[in-house]
Amino acid sequence: MEDRLILMGVIGKPHGVRGQVRVHAYGEEPDLLSQHVLVDAKGRHFALDWAHDNVAWISTVTGATRSRITDRDIAARLTNVELFLPRSVLPETEEEEFYLADLIGLNAQDEQGQVLGKISNVLDYGAGASLELTPGGLLIPFTRACVPVVKLADGYVVVNPPLEIEAKDDMANTEEPSL
């Protein structure tokens, strides 16, 4: 599997006047962010040193040089910058565990083995993850009921679209009621 970049956190608002920022860390191990050089979507490299709770010092990294940001205005310009790590530096998963990013590119098939599409994206807006399938953009809630089987090594998941999705498809094939 290629070494994808995995979103591990987002820089929040500045904290204080000396360049500290709040960092919203994703995952169970926030300390992982301070153990590696992080990269943003523009290819810039950062290092993070936790000060306390979700507050950190951020340094820019160029080669072997780290330059700590000590100015609130410079830190404020980093608000909403997403921080990524290569998949290879993340801890290995246990059986029945996986990173959501590992699902992207897998085939999605029904229980009879018919391929319904490929997982093109995993979306999570806070109420639980959904798998986006292409072609068509079909969204499947990532729950055990809707995705009962995940076979990373074999390259597929089994999906059971909820009744609401099937009903929506059926409604598209009916005429609108006359008023």
Side-chain angles (χ1 to χ4, degrees):
M1 183 174 285
E2 74 205 51
D3 201 13
R4 293 183 178 157
L5 290 177
I6 307 296
L7 178 62
M8 295 301 296
V10 175
I11 298 174
K13 299 186 299 186
H15 178 80
V17 296
R18 291 191 168 64
Q20 290 181 327
V21 293
R22 296 196 178 278
V23 176
H24 306 283
Y26 303 138
E28 295 178 4
E29 300 177 31
D31 287 340
L32 192 64
L33 276 71
S34 63
Q35 297 169 9
H36 300 280
V37 173
L38 304 154
V39 65
D40 74 355
K42 295 179 180 179
R44 299 177 294 184
H45 292 86
F46 297 96
L48 180 146
D49 294 305
W50 290 110
H52 56 83
D53 298 327
N54 66 340
V55 175
W57 294 102
I58 296 288
S59 299
T60 58
V61 178
T62 307
T65 305
R66 291 182 182 211
S67 301
R68 181 175 275 182
I69 295 171
T70 58
D71 180 88
R72 179 184 175 87
D73 292 335
I74 294 171
R77 287 186 222 132
L78 296 175
T79 300
N80 295 324
V81 168
E82 296 176 322
L83 302 171
F84 298 86
L85 281 175
R87 171 68 176 85
S88 62
V89 304
L90 299 177
E92 287 303 313
T93 58
E94 301 291 324
E95 189 174 331
E96 292 287 317
E97 287 184 340
F98 38 83
Y99 294 102
L100 294 176
D102 291 343
L103 301 172
I104 296 172
L106 297 181
N107 283 327
Q109 61 188 44
D110 62 19
E111 290 183 337
Q112 291 73 38
Q114 180 180 344
V115 175
L116 304 174
K118 270 196 181 310
I119 299 173
S120 60
N121 202 358
V122 179
L123 306 169
D124 191 345
Y125 298 111
S130 294
L131 306 179
E132 181 178 8
L133 306 185
T134 55
L138 184 66
L139 291 178
I140 304 291
F142 189 54
T143 62
R144 174 96 43 200
C146 294
V147 186
V149 177
V150 176
K151 297 285 188 179
L152 285 178
D154 297 332
Y156 74 92
V157 299
V158 173
V159 297
N160 293 320
L163 295 176
E164 294 85 9
I165 292 175
E166 291 175 12
K168 182 179 174 186
D169 290 342
D170 290 343
M171 287 174 52
N173 296 325
T174 62
E175 293 180 26
E176 290 187 34
S178 58
L179 300 174

